[in-house]
Amino acid sequence: MKLHVTKPQFTSTETLVLENNTTRISTFLYKTGVEAVHISIGAGTFVWLPFFGQSLWSWKVGGIEQKFKGFVSEPDYAARNFLHNYGALMIHCGITAMGNPSKADTHLHHGELPLAKYDSAWIEISDGPFPVSLHGSYQYTVPFIASYEFSPSLRISETGTSVLVDSQLKNLQKTPMEYMYLNHLNLSLDHVTELQYGIDEFNKETVTVLDETIPGVVDEPTIFLHPSKISTISPELVAIMKNKPEHGDVCVNTMIRENHERVWVATNTSTLDHTVAWLTKTLDRSACGFSLPATAGPRGRTAETKQGNMKLLEPGSSIRFQFAFGLDENPESKSLQTAITILGGIV
């Protein structure tokens, strides 16, 4: 079943558009005028923005919000930049540039995708382990810069506790196109005791910490792995890891909470060859972007180009960015194993 989503469907009163034995989907408008879709399935509830960035604004499991705290409360079309709209659980970033622009850069903070207005959006209902999928298409054409189509999809599991993200980028030009991509996955840092990464060693040879927010962390990045032992992280702590072939086709990183819950991120490393980690903790905010799948670091276009991290897409060619995230209490959970199997089989 395919449900086409159109803007006239959205009003300030929440409207039910589909309901069956397992799933409930409704539409509503935020006070700011941003269209949103509310999905309830299994233990999970989601708020998806079909026309504004195709961001996943919220994810609750058992009624508990999973995203970061202390950021923007509602999406807003009037937002002037990334930070003024920074409140979603999951944000697509790129494509012509990504990261925090340096003095040598002219690009938007994290590129054009976070504030992109989508041309079309739809919902698909099917059988299988991921019965609800959310889709959209965005076309970007700026002379002398780039011309591409970006088509993301979010596939939600029947339990509501995991999501498979599969996005396609197509170069519409007759010439090669440079690109960058990052998915900003913003989880709460509350009650997190340990971070685990799917790399052989976690040291300054394999992990690049961008600043000395925490004394000694550049030379001893293992400090990063135990955020509950750090009282304040201000403004932020950022690290970059490369997903090398020896780490496998699918890299799994995990965030462990006091109650033994595990939030995992599994990434297909064939096209997402970097992991960015981002933490902040003050009395006003709490965020644990511990595993952001990416094609480069977040230092901005100029710096990442110098690092050799700018990617090139041939004329008329397409590339896919795939990863999954979920929550459970079992490191060998069925949802994680299913995600690894799917991600490892994608070509």
Side-chain angles (χ1 to χ4, degrees):
M1 180 187 298
K2 186 174 183 179
L3 303 174
H4 291 278
V5 180
T6 60
K7 290 191 175 186
Q9 292 175 291
F10 296 82
T11 67
S12 57
T13 301
E14 188 160 344
T15 304
L16 182 66
V17 295
L18 182 144
E19 187 171 28
N20 58 31
N21 293 335
T22 61
T23 307
R24 188 179 191 276
I25 299 176
S26 57
T27 61
F28 69 96
L29 276 179
Y30 279 101
K31 290 180 291 185
T32 56
V34 174
E35 302 85 0
V37 177
H38 185 264
I39 302 116
S40 296
I41 179 170
T45 57
F46 303 80
V47 175
W48 172 58
L49 309 183
F51 298 111
F52 193 22
Q54 285 254 318
S55 298
L56 192 59
W57 192 260
S58 171
W59 173 38
K60 294 180 181 179
V61 178
I64 299 174
E65 180 63 72
Q66 300 301 310
K67 73 173 179 177
F68 58 7
K69 297 178 181 178
F71 291 80
V72 177
S73 60
E74 290 192 1
D76 191 349
Y77 278 126
R80 299 189 299 277
N81 56 39
F82 178 83
L83 289 180
H84 285 127
N85 199 55
Y86 197 19
L89 169 90
M90 192 216 75
I91 305 167
H92 298 287
C93 299
I95 287 294
T96 59
M98 177 270 289
N100 190 16
S102 68
K103 292 180 180 179
D105 290 312
T106 58
H107 62 78
L108 295 172
H109 190 175
H110 278 307
E112 62 277 358
L113 286 187
L115 301 180
K117 296 176 178 61
Y118 276 68
D119 309 307
S120 61
W122 65 95
I123 302 168
E124 295 181 8
I125 308 296
S126 61
D127 297 324
F130 294 87
V132 177
S133 55
L134 314 172
H135 302 262
S137 178
Y138 168 68
Q139 187 166 324
Y140 176 93
T141 300
V142 176
F144 306 103
I145 303 297
S147 179
Y148 66 79
E149 182 179 47
F150 183 72
S151 304
S153 71
L154 306 179
R155 297 167 57 188
I156 301 174
S157 71
E158 58 192 349
T159 62
T161 58
S162 62
V163 176
L164 179 65
V165 183
D166 186 355
S167 303
Q168 178 172 282
L169 171 67
K170 183 176 183 179
N171 180 6
L172 301 179
Q173 302 178 159
K174 296 180 180 179
T175 53
M177 182 185 76
E178 293 181 325
Y179 70 89
M180 304 175 75
Y181 177 79
L182 174 141
N183 194 287
H184 225 302
L185 190 59
N186 304 304
L187 296 147
S188 173
L189 188 55
D190 291 358
H191 312 298
V192 174
T193 58
E194 184 179 358
L195 302 177
Q196 297 178 345
Y197 289 92
I199 57 179
D200 296 333
E201 300 288 339
F202 199 91
N203 53 44
K204 65 180 181 180
E205 280 73 40
T206 59
V207 181
T208 301
V209 180
L210 295 189
D211 57 55
E212 283 278 9
T213 298
I214 307 300
V217 72
V218 171
D219 289 327
E220 291 293 339
T222 52
I223 295 171
F224 210 103
L225 301 179
H226 303 281
S228 61
K229 296 181 180 180
I230 308 173
S231 59
T232 301
I233 305 174
S234 181
E236 61 186 4
L237 185 59
V238 179
I240 305 169
M241 289 151 271
K242 290 189 177 180
N243 300 323
K244 297 181 179 179
E246 57 264 34
H247 302 149
D249 296 333
V250 179
C251 181
V252 179
N253 301 323
T254 307
M255 178 180 84
I256 302 172
R257 294 175 174 154
E258 290 174 354
N259 61 0
H260 305 297
E261 284 183 341
R262 308 168 68 91
V263 177
W264 50 264
V265 178
T267 301
N268 182 308
T269 60
S270 63
T271 57
L272 295 168
D273 56 0
H274 286 68
T275 293
V276 176
W278 169 75
L279 309 181
T280 183
K281 180 167 65 173
T282 70
L283 295 176
D284 297 308
R285 60 184 182 270
S286 163
C288 188
F290 77 99
S291 185
L292 313 183
T295 64
R299 292 165 285 206
R301 182 184 173 99
T302 300
E304 293 302 326
T305 298
K306 290 180 180 178
Q307 292 288 326
N309 293 330
M310 183 64 69
K311 304 296 194 294
L312 197 67
L313 190 58
E314 292 302 317
S317 297
S318 298
I319 192 167
R320 293 166 70 183
F321 310 118
Q322 307 100 8
F323 71 96
F325 61 91
L327 181 152
D328 53 58
E329 295 183 1
N330 181 1
E332 304 298 326
S333 72
K334 180 181 178 181
S335 61
L336 174 56
Q337 297 309 311
T338 298
I340 291 173
T341 299
I342 293 173
L343 291 169
I346 292 175
V347 294

